[in-house]
Amino acid sequence: MKIPTSSPSWTDLYAGIMAILPISLGVVPFGVIAGAAMVESGIPPHHAIAMTIVSFTGAAQLAAIDLIDQTAPVAVIVLTAVIINLRFMMYSASMAPYFRRFDALTKWLGAYVLTDEAYAISISRFRNGDLSIHSQKWFYFGAAIPFWATWHLSAALGVVLGTSVLSGVSLAFAVPLTFIALLIPDLNDRPTILAALVSGGTSILLGFFPFNLGLVTAVLIGIAAGSAFEQRSTTQSDRTAATDTGCETA
């Protein structure tokens, strides 16, 4: 049974807003950097704002700007953005059980405003079980939509100020800084750490590849290494469990 769109719960909306507020303030510099970087790379201001609205993904957007500045082929730019954003497939799958009863419009809007920050804040509350289905939806949108608005306003500010106030500021640090900020919280198990180390080391070794293709290749190699390690660890654990069971039976 699907639950139709219902009137908002202002208490839950407010709770989501307050939960995301500190993080929203912290994303303002990144939005300004992204907007300024787009202008400095030669993208017209109205195209820059449109790109921000359509893509709504800071890390991939900064990577795409860097590739556009290097006149990389469109296919390379798109592939890089897709690989960077693959994590949202996992986020969406994790959120799906909590949204499956809602109508299609709610699901599409929820998918569009999904971010690392909104996901992290919302999923922890959902798993605690202290919110009803109705409250879960409005808490999520209370967190996600203000973050969406903050990003777009700060990016627009960067577009306006990029060629004047920020013209003398080097923005080369923006992409690696964003990736580091996204990476560190996710290094919470050995397969992930291995994948990060292999990807980082390989990207350095393949730095001579044109159009940042070394980065894409390194990501794929890192994912393969982390997956292989996780599979091996799981197999060893299963064997150990089987051995222990056999010993107990004997």
Side-chain angles (χ1 to χ4, degrees):
M1 180 185 67
K2 293 184 178 180
I3 298 177
T5 302
S6 53
S7 58
S9 168
W10 299 112
T11 300
D12 297 318
L13 277 171
Y14 179 76
I17 292 171
M18 296 307 295
I20 202 72
L21 181 59
I23 303 175
S24 296
L25 295 176
V27 83
V28 171
F30 289 101
V32 174
I33 288 170
M38 285 187 286
V39 173
E40 291 195 359
S41 66
I43 300 175
H46 59 288
H47 288 172
I49 293 176
M51 178 182 178
T52 303
I53 294 174
V54 172
S55 61
F56 186 44
T57 166
Q61 190 171 330
L62 287 170
I65 293 167
D66 185 48
L67 291 172
I68 291 172
D69 195 40
Q70 298 181 47
T71 64
V74 174
V76 174
I77 298 173
V78 173
L79 179 61
T80 300
V82 168
I83 291 175
I84 292 173
N85 287 331
L86 284 178
R87 68 188 187 280
F88 288 107
M89 294 182 63
M90 295 182 287
Y91 294 167
S92 298
S94 178
M95 295 284 285
Y98 303 100
F99 273 71
R100 67 177 182 270
R101 297 184 181 181
F102 296 124
D103 56 80
L105 179 61
T106 299
K107 292 177 181 178
W108 279 102
L109 178 59
Y112 171 65
V113 297
L114 179 62
T115 59
D116 303 273
E117 295 79 5
Y119 168 78
I121 287 175
S122 299
I123 199 68
S124 61
R125 290 292 301 271
F126 294 174
R127 289 172 176 170
N128 287 339
D130 56 350
L131 295 175
S132 66
I133 294 176
H134 178 75
S135 295
Q136 287 171 354
K137 179 178 73 172
W138 293 112
F139 178 88
Y140 170 75
F141 284 120
I145 293 179
F147 192 87
W148 174 90
T150 302
W151 173 260
H152 289 301
L153 290 174
S154 58
L157 181 62
V159 169
V160 173
L161 302 179
T163 57
S164 55
V165 176
L166 301 181
S167 59
V169 179
S170 174
L171 300 175
F173 71 95
V175 174
L177 184 61
T178 301
F179 289 157
I180 290 172
L182 292 171
L183 174 65
I184 297 301
D186 291 330
L187 299 179
N188 49 19
D189 55 47
R190 286 186 289 180
T192 303
I193 294 173
L194 176 64
L197 292 174
V198 171
S199 296
T202 306
S203 66
I204 295 174
L205 295 175
L206 301 181
F208 62 91
F209 277 26
F211 306 122
N212 275 359
L213 285 175
L215 175 62
V216 177
T217 305
V219 168
L220 295 176
I221 294 174
I223 292 173
S227 298
F229 181 84
E230 184 175 28
Q231 181 63 37
R232 180 180 177 183
S233 299
T234 301
T235 302
Q236 290 178 344
S237 298
D238 291 342
R239 289 177 179 174
T240 302
T243 302
D244 293 342
T245 301
C247 292
E248 291 176 1
T249 301

